[in-house]
Amino acid sequence: MKKLDLSQYRVEGATEAAIEDFNGFSAEDKERLLFAGIDVENPSDSGAFMHLNHSGVHCKTHREGLEVMDIKAALEKFDGLPDYYWQLVDKDKDEFTKAAHDNLHGGYFIRAKAGTKITEPVQSCLFIDKAGISQNVHNIVVVEEGAELHIISGCATAHGAKESAHLGISEFYVHKGGKLTFTMIHNWSEDTAVRPRSAGVLEEDAVFLSNYVLLKPVKDLQMYPKLTLKGENSVARFNSVIVAPEGSYIDCGNRIEMKAPNTRAEIIARTLTTGGTIINRGFIGAEAVPARGHLECKGLILGGGRIHAIPELDSDQDGVELSHEAAVGKIAQEEIEYLMARGLDEDEATSTIVRGFLNVDMEGLPKELQDAIEKQIDELDASDAM
């Protein structure tokens, strides 16, 4: 992991004014937010949250049984959230967790109450539009027994937000029979440093589906979210699509620990470099039987860059079923020639292969978000493969 000097970033700043709607954003910022999964022209019918720089500026919920609050308001209302706040992530884990604890700017608390089915995604956005600041947030998501919740969390910087940093703590609790679909889209800039620290726990019959998309440049990103399956019949799946242009350094991965019988885990990662560095980690461990897990790390190198895949499987239990696939390479020339023989030129053939490689099925994405992701993939420069 690259060394990051937090002293170069400002942690104090003016409080941002509350935002009733998103009409005040420029067309440029709206596009940046759209590419982070937040469609400001069509806000969610379920609920929406925005944190801008150092302040929560927008928080609304439109569904009975759904709570969407600024984390500071939730801490005050619920006596510090003793069952959830800093229970899965150690505040002393590293300098970044310590900084987020000591200088908390905000974040969100989202809870689906028992039996509530929230089918329309809740939109949450963490946005930076000032240069030289560190944004420190703490997010907590709770899905109570039998509830269902889908969150689209977009993180982005404005074009003028140079040399900024984002420190994000996230804790996820999926109770018995609950289902959480969590889609995170990052749209940072080439001089943004990012340090998420995330963990989640699943009870009996719980399901957690995590989607992560990073298609734009980032200076330096390091994250390794962990899910613990402590309840029987719980299921977890991570899907990731990551692109590293020249100048990007990405150290990322996922960890799933299966601590109860009849659990299932899957980690699927597609990584592509056009000049940047990607360290792609994956870990599935099983401590109970029966348990099934599959880990898949596939990387594509176009025109330079580096991908380091580190898949790990671990168990001392007789009867577990754990498997992995890992591959790193370039586009095979025969694949390009095959498509060229069917009427595509070389750039079109390369683009077609790249789109197919990055096409990982992500459950529950709205059409507008899927279209935005596909547009970004189409914008990848096929000439980098030459």
Side-chain angles (χ1 to χ4, degrees):
M1 181 173 65
K2 282 190 172 182
K3 180 68 176 176
L4 179 62
D5 181 11
L6 293 178
S7 66
Q8 66 180 303
Y9 303 103
R10 301 194 312 277
V11 295
E12 303 295 338
T15 300
E16 305 291 341
I19 296 173
E20 182 62 27
D21 55 45
F22 302 104
N23 293 326
F25 285 103
S26 67
E28 188 176 53
D29 283 349
K30 287 180 180 179
E31 183 178 53
R32 296 281 299 175
L33 291 168
L34 180 61
F35 281 177
I38 305 301
D39 186 0
V40 296
E41 302 291 352
N42 298 287
S44 170
D45 288 334
S46 295
F49 174 87
M50 173 174 277
H51 183 96
L52 177 62
N53 299 321
H54 293 156
S55 310
V57 295
H58 182 85
C59 186
K60 287 189 176 181
T61 180
H62 309 290
R63 290 287 183 267
E64 186 176 351
L66 173 67
E67 290 178 310
V68 180
M69 303 176 64
D70 186 280
I71 189 65
K72 290 186 175 181
L75 288 169
E76 182 175 349
K77 180 176 180 179
F78 300 115
D79 300 320
L81 293 168
D83 294 333
Y84 302 120
Y85 190 56
W86 290 110
Q87 294 303 301
L88 299 179
V89 178
D90 182 359
K91 64 181 176 58
D92 296 316
K93 175 182 176 64
D94 56 32
E95 62 181 311
F96 310 112
T97 57
K98 291 177 182 177
H101 175 269
D102 294 344
N103 296 286
L104 177 65
H105 297 140
Y108 54 78
F109 174 77
I110 300 176
R111 174 163 55 184
K113 295 185 177 180
T116 302
K117 311 291 186 183
I118 306 297
T119 56
E120 178 79 11
V122 176
Q123 291 184 352
S124 67
C125 178
L126 306 170
F127 193 47
I128 299 175
D129 72 354
K130 286 186 169 55
I133 71 168
S134 173
Q135 182 186 70
N136 305 343
V137 296
H138 195 130
N139 309 309
I140 294 176
V141 177
V142 179
V143 180
E144 294 187 346
E145 184 173 344
E148 294 185 10
L149 177 64
H150 185 182
I151 297 173
I152 295 177
S153 182
C155 301
T157 54
H159 283 285
K162 303 298 183 182
E163 297 295 339
S164 57
H166 171 85
L167 311 182
I169 312 301
S170 296
E171 299 179 284
F172 303 93
Y173 300 85
V174 188
H175 293 283
K176 181 179 178 180
K179 180 180 179 180
L180 173 62
T181 302
F182 186 80
T183 300
M184 183 162 65
I185 317 290
H186 279 178
N187 187 17
W188 303 112
S189 63
E190 60 276 2
D191 49 16
T192 305
V194 185
R195 292 291 186 273
R197 297 291 182 264
S198 305
V201 62
L202 282 67
E203 295 183 354
E204 181 182 351
D205 295 317
V207 177
F208 191 140
L209 305 177
S210 173
N211 303 314
Y212 176 64
V213 179
L214 173 65
L215 301 178
K216 295 295 187 178
V218 63
K219 176 184 176 181
D220 176 12
L221 181 147
Q222 195 277 328
M223 66 179 189
Y224 191 47
K226 180 181 80 171
L227 291 179
T228 301
L229 310 188
K230 78 169 190 177
E232 188 170 357
N233 297 313
S234 54
V235 178
R237 180 175 182 176
F238 283 107
N239 283 322
S240 301
V241 176
I242 297 167
V243 175
E246 185 176 359
S248 293
Y249 182 92
I250 301 167
D251 184 340
C252 63
N254 307 110
R255 182 182 182 96
I256 301 177
E257 298 179 357
M258 297 184 286
K259 296 181 178 291
N262 295 303
T263 52
R264 288 183 290 135
E266 186 175 47
I267 298 173
I268 305 293
R270 294 286 188 274
T271 59
L272 184 151
T273 176
T274 57
T277 295
I278 300 174
I279 301 173
N280 183 25
R281 308 173 189 272
F283 176 94
I284 297 178
E287 299 180 18
V289 291
R292 288 189 295 157
H294 180 68
L295 171 60
E296 186 175 311
C297 306
K298 293 187 177 181
L300 192 60
I301 299 173
L302 296 183
R306 177 175 181 245
I307 297 176
H308 184 188
I310 310 174
E312 293 184 81
L313 304 175
D314 180 52
S315 182
D316 59 2
Q317 300 292 309
D318 184 17
V320 301
E321 298 178 44
L322 304 181
S323 61
H324 81 77
E325 299 176 51
V328 175
K330 64 178 183 178
I331 296 176
Q333 186 61 33
E334 56 265 28
E335 293 183 38
I336 295 176
E337 292 173 354
Y338 176 85
L339 292 174
M340 291 178 67
R342 280 151 180 77
L344 276 64
D345 63 29
E346 193 168 4
D347 284 354
E348 291 170 337
T350 301
S351 295
T352 298
I353 294 168
V354 168
R355 282 197 302 272
F357 176 78
L358 295 177
N359 182 23
V360 175
D361 182 32
M362 294 187 175
E363 181 179 319
L365 293 188
K367 182 179 184 303
E368 294 80 9
L369 177 52
Q370 188 64 54
D371 290 346
I373 291 173
E374 291 177 1
K375 180 180 178 181
Q376 292 180 78
I377 292 173
D378 288 340
E379 290 175 353
L380 293 174
D381 188 2
S383 66
D384 286 332
M386 301 299 104

